[in-house]
Amino acid sequence: MMTPEAEQSQAEPAGEGAPNGAEVPVGGVEQGGEARVTAAETAETAAESPGEAQQPADEAVESADEDVAAADEAVAAAEDAVAVEEPAERPEARLERAVRAAEQALIEYEIAVETFRVEVDNFSRLHHQKLGPMYTRLDELDARIAEAVAARTGDPEDIRKADEARARVMPMPGVEELFHGWMDGDGLFPEAAAMLTDQPVRPPQRVRPSDEARKLYRELARKAHPDLAQEEAERARREEFITRVNAAYARGDEALLRELAAEWAAGPAPKEQGPTPSEELYARLEWLAQRKEMLTLVAKDLEESAIGAMLRLAPDDPDRLLDEIAEQLLAQVAAREAELAALLG
């Protein structure tokens, strides 16, 4: 049995370090120390290996980069597909559009010019049919008046004027009417030229080709006959060549037949290198421009002609204009007839 002092001395060590007399469980200090050591070690480990703590974030970034790269590849593939479906424009495409536009514009302009030309022709024909006899009557009356004045005065100047007025009434005969078959617009006929130069009119001299010419002709006819051609272009070339061979043989021209034989032996001329598509388009544009200039001149001539000027005065009602001119001409005819009657009375 312990004494009270022994029990007190045994209990004092157990109570040291406990503030305010609080009891500390046995083994509590050791367990708390172990907990603090574990937490410190974990912190040190985290400080020494920060990459391990960031590894999940880095993996997420790498995954996002891979997704962006895949999206870029998809966009590039789509652009390539569009480029395949829509090829780049050819260099001649703009020229072709320009040519088509110029052709359409020229067609419209040519239609307008041709329409105006037809209107001028029709109006001219109506003008001649309706007013022509009145103009002829006026010319005849002017000639008679001038002749009456010349007969009354005897003045040479009045006689000259009367002759000129009469010449305007009488139609000018054609060349063939003047020479009655002696000449035409191309000049004298051979028979007329021979008669005028005192040369006898001889029939054409008959030509008898030489044996060599006959031989050359037969060889060329066998080699270049059009029926030997397999294509239309070759047949046309042979027909043109045989035409020249026949003409040379008909004249008995042995030298020309030899030249033709050498030409055939040399073969067809090599085809010239054609223009490029761009050159053809430029040439077409140039031709269209020249055609437009020519039509412009035609339209100007039509507008400046007497009939065209009259037609422009009443484009909507040309018949009314003809009626007005006819009334004026009738008044002039009446005045001329009255003047002539006064001179002859």
Side-chain angles (χ1 to χ4, degrees):
M1 180 174 181
M2 288 185 177
T3 61
E5 292 83 358
E7 292 176 357
Q8 182 178 0
S9 60
Q10 186 177 0
E12 287 176 0
E16 290 178 0
N20 299 326
E23 296 182 356
V24 179
V26 178
V29 173
E30 296 178 355
Q31 292 176 356
E34 292 176 358
R36 286 195 296 271
V37 171
T38 302
E41 290 176 353
T42 302
E44 290 176 358
T45 303
E48 293 175 356
S49 305
E52 293 179 2
Q54 296 177 356
Q55 183 176 3
D58 293 340
E59 291 177 356
V61 171
E62 291 177 0
S63 177
D65 291 340
E66 291 176 357
D67 293 340
V68 171
D72 292 340
E73 292 178 357
V75 171
E79 291 176 351
D80 293 339
V82 172
V84 171
E85 294 177 358
E86 299 180 0
E89 188 178 50
R90 296 180 296 108
E92 298 84 6
R94 293 181 61 186
L95 278 175
E96 290 175 352
R97 291 195 295 270
V99 168
R100 288 195 296 269
E103 288 175 342
Q104 190 62 35
L106 180 65
I107 289 173
E108 297 298 328
Y109 187 70
E110 191 162 357
I111 290 174
V113 173
E114 182 63 17
T115 301
F116 184 60
R117 187 193 65 79
V118 171
E119 292 176 355
V120 170
D121 289 345
N122 291 337
F123 187 76
S124 176
R125 185 163 43 254
L126 292 174
H127 180 272
H128 178 72
Q129 292 175 354
K130 191 168 186 178
L131 306 181
M134 299 183 187
Y135 285 117
T136 302
R137 178 61 177 168
L138 281 175
D139 291 339
E140 177 65 26
L141 290 173
D142 288 338
R144 291 186 180 182
I145 291 172
E147 290 171 347
V149 171
R152 174 174 294 185
T153 63
D155 187 354
E157 181 64 18
D158 293 337
I159 295 175
R160 184 188 63 80
K161 291 181 180 179
D163 293 338
E164 291 178 354
R166 179 53 62 185
R168 286 193 296 268
V169 177
M170 297 177 61
M172 176 65 68
V175 175
E176 295 185 3
E177 295 178 2
L178 288 173
F179 291 93
H180 301 288
W182 283 61
M183 68 178 299
D184 57 8
D186 297 330
L188 289 172
F189 293 121
E191 295 81 0
M195 294 179 66
L196 292 174
T197 55
D198 295 331
Q199 295 178 359
V201 180
R202 297 178 181 177
Q205 184 179 2
R206 299 183 63 181
V207 177
R208 181 176 178 83
S210 64
D211 293 340
E212 184 63 21
R214 189 179 297 108
K215 178 182 177 182
L216 290 170
Y217 170 74
R218 290 177 179 177
E219 290 178 355
L220 288 172
R222 293 189 184 99
K223 294 178 181 178
H225 199 281
D227 290 343
L228 299 176
Q230 300 294 329
E231 300 178 354
E232 289 298 326
E234 177 63 15
R235 184 179 185 86
R237 184 180 79 89
R238 288 171 175 264
E239 288 177 349
E240 186 274 335
F241 182 79
I242 285 296
T243 299
R244 290 190 286 151
V245 170
N246 291 336
Y249 182 68
R251 296 192 302 269
D253 194 339
E254 182 178 334
L256 181 55
L257 287 172
R258 291 184 184 278
E259 293 179 3
L260 291 172
E263 177 184 336
W264 185 260
K271 294 183 178 179
E272 297 181 358
Q273 185 177 2
T276 64
S278 296
E279 291 173 344
E280 290 182 348
L281 291 171
Y282 277 118
R284 179 65 173 169
L285 283 175
E286 184 177 357
W287 182 87
L288 291 171
Q290 294 175 354
R291 177 70 176 174
K292 175 67 179 306
E293 291 179 1
M294 185 272 291
L295 290 174
T296 302
L297 294 177
V298 171
K300 182 179 179 181
D301 291 340
L302 289 172
E303 292 175 353
E304 293 179 353
S305 65
I307 298 297
M310 293 173 61
L311 186 59
R312 290 201 310 272
L313 295 176
D316 298 331
D317 191 6
D319 293 335
R320 180 183 59 80
L321 178 61
L322 288 178
D323 293 338
E324 293 178 358
I325 297 175
E327 293 178 359
Q328 296 175 5
L329 291 177
L330 287 175
Q332 294 177 16
V333 167
R336 297 289 202 286
E337 289 178 344
E339 182 180 358
L340 179 61
L343 289 171
L344 296 178

